[in-house]
């Protein structure tokens, strides 16, 4: 595995791969790797000749009062895990990606302010801009993302379509801990008591699935039940719970066939997100 920090050097390696007609898969991450990330890499490995993993804690996608500084980082551990999982680890500095004279931003209008965008203004402009840069730098055949970040997945698909980026976007299922908690680098923030309570997100999703399978079609009733359920956990505070169209991310009035249930909940000071696709009877 090669560890590359400079964009021009990465591009030289990618050009060499292209010349040899190698299919390239890209897995963008912010590091502090867990099994969720590794599942994307395994799939990329199966579908491509070469796998590039980026590790970049993107300052652009953090608000001024958010956790950019505290975000967990352990590059040497990550590189150890990557050795068996990819061919190139791309770990640029913030300055390498966003030099002082950087002024171009990508906004997927009408999608960036919904759901997580409501409580994290500017977040998805940061995400779309960095992903667009990575796609331009590398020009992968396929790029891999997790359904855990459902809104991000929709936004990246839209970005690739609107800007005619020639890449297949693959969205893979959420990998969970044994008790159902979605794996996330931010789980490292949780105290052991909070870690136990954090399962409330998954339990809420499961009870929603059951209610919808049992005939509940009214999103506002469903949301009220979930708010009540999550409210019983002392450490939990709901940021949002929404039932939306899985492609437009707009709220639905009735759960007809399928709808995306997305939620963000603070467990103590840690904001966690999760989602599930609800299927009506
Ligand atoms: P992050 O490092 O959190 O920015 O995540 C990098 C990529 O891994 C994103 O596409 C995430 O959606 C994906 N990812 C994060 N957690 C999980 C998980 N538990 N299961 C599957 N994919 C995940």
């Amino acid at each position: 595995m090669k560890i590359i920090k400079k964009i021009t050097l990465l591009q030289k390696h990618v050009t060499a791969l292209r010349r040899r007609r190698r299919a390239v898969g890209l897995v963008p991450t912010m590091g502090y790797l867990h099994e969720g990330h590794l599942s994307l890499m395994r799939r990329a490995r199966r579908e491509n000749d070469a796998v590039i993993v980026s590790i970049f804690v993107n300052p652009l996608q953090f608000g001024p009062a958010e956790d950019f500084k505290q975000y967990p980082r352990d590059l040497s551990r990550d590189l150890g895990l990557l050795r068996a999982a990819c061919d190139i680890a791309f770990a640029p500095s913030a300055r390498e990606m966003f030099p002082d004279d950087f002024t171009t931003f990508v906004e997927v209008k009408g999608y960036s302010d919904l759901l997580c965008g409501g409580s994290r203004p500017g977040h998805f402009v940061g995400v779309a801009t960095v992903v667009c840069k990575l796609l331009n730098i590398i020009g992968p055949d396929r790029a891999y993302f997790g359904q855990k970040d459902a809104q991000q997945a929709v936004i990246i698909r839209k970005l690739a379509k609107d800007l005619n980026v020639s890449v297949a976007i693959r969205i893979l299922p959420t990998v969970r801990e044994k008790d159902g908690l979605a794996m996330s680098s931010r789980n490292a923030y949780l105290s052991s008591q909070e870690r136990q309570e954090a399962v409330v997100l998954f339990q809420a999703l499961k009870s929603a699935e059951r209610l919808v399978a049992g005939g509940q079609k009214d999103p506002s009733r469903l949301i009220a039940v979930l708010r009540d359920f999550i409210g019983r956990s002392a450490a939990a505070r709901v940021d949002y719970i929404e039932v939306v169209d899985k492609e437009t991310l707009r709220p639905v009035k009735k759960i007809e066939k399928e709808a995306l249930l997305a939620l963000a909940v603070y467990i103590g000071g840690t904001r966690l997100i999760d989602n599930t696709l609800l299927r009506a009877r």
Side-chain angles (χ1 to χ4, degrees):
M1 179 189 70
K2 292 195 168 57
I3 301 164
I4 295 181
K5 295 189 180 245
K6 295 290 176 201
I7 293 170
T8 48
L9 185 58
L10 176 61
Q11 286 177 316
K12 271 191 199 145
H13 281 279
V14 173
T15 306
L17 287 167
R18 291 252 160 274
R19 222 177 279 129
R20 286 154 54 212
R21 295 186 181 282
R22 296 289 193 262
V24 175
L26 167 67
V27 182
T29 83
M30 297 208 298
Y32 212 70
L33 301 176
H34 51 67
E35 193 52 38
H37 298 119
L38 296 177
S39 73
L40 306 184
M41 294 172 207
R42 280 195 290 271
R43 178 72 168 270
R45 172 65 87 208
R46 283 210 299 278
E47 295 182 345
N48 302 276
D49 303 307
V51 177
I52 302 178
V53 175
S54 62
I55 296 195
F56 181 60
V57 184
N58 172 25
L60 239 52
Q61 69 188 66
F62 290 80
E66 290 185 354
D67 57 342
F68 174 67
K69 282 220 176 88
Q70 303 97 291
Y71 194 84
R73 294 162 170 90
D74 190 343
L75 187 60
S76 59
R77 177 181 163 274
D78 286 348
L79 293 175
L81 289 169
L82 288 182
R83 229 168 283 284
C86 79
D87 303 284
I88 298 177
F90 178 50
S93 67
R95 172 94 10 131
E96 177 72 4
M97 289 295 271
F98 301 115
D100 288 341
D101 62 352
F102 186 89
T103 49
T104 304
F105 298 89
V106 179
E107 181 180 1
V108 181
K109 270 199 190 292
Y111 291 73
S112 298
D113 298 334
L114 308 167
L115 302 172
C116 287
S119 30
R120 303 189 68 189
H123 170 67
F124 287 110
V125 170
V127 170
T129 303
V130 79
V131 170
C132 203
K133 267 186 83 102
L134 290 167
L135 294 175
N136 280 333
I137 292 166
I138 296 164
D141 296 272
R142 299 174 190 85
Y144 297 81
F145 301 88
Q147 176 62 22
K148 150 104 188 335
D149 299 275
Q151 183 174 12
Q152 171 175 283
V154 169
I155 285 176
I156 287 162
R157 273 197 199 287
K158 190 73 170 56
L159 167 156
K161 177 170 177 275
D162 287 355
L163 298 182
N164 304 98
V165 186
S166 171
V167 62
I169 303 294
R170 297 270 203 265
I171 310 299
L172 300 197
T174 302
V175 177
R176 298 179 178 282
E177 302 284 357
K178 275 208 182 78
D179 65 357
L181 175 66
M183 290 196 180
S184 164
S185 308
R186 286 195 170 93
N187 292 348
Y189 293 144
L190 302 169
S191 70
S192 61
Q193 176 63 31
E194 288 167 349
R195 169 62 191 84
Q196 280 175 33
E197 293 204 30
V199 74
V200 74
L201 281 84
F202 177 69
Q203 288 169 342
L205 297 180
K206 285 287 138 190
S207 61
E209 285 171 5
R210 282 193 297 273
L211 288 166
V212 170
Q216 180 59 268
K217 291 189 188 300
D218 181 349
S220 53
R221 289 221 186 134
L222 189 67
I223 291 167
V225 173
L226 298 183
R227 275 192 183 276
D228 180 57
F229 176 76
I230 294 171
R232 280 182 240 151
S233 161
R237 180 169 61 83
V238 172
D239 179 15
Y240 71 79
I241 304 175
E242 290 199 45
V243 179
V244 300
D245 179 274
K246 66 175 180 172
E247 263 131 48
T248 66
L249 302 180
R250 298 285 182 293
V252 296
K253 292 204 173 67
K254 195 174 172 198
I255 303 166
E256 300 281 8
K257 282 186 197 138
E258 283 184 338
L260 181 73
L261 168 62
L263 46 79
V265 176
Y266 285 92
I267 301 291
T270 304
R271 186 176 174 281
L272 300 178
I273 58 170
D274 207 339
N275 67 86
T276 189
L277 197 61
L278 299 170
R279 291 192 175 85
R281 237 191 343 205

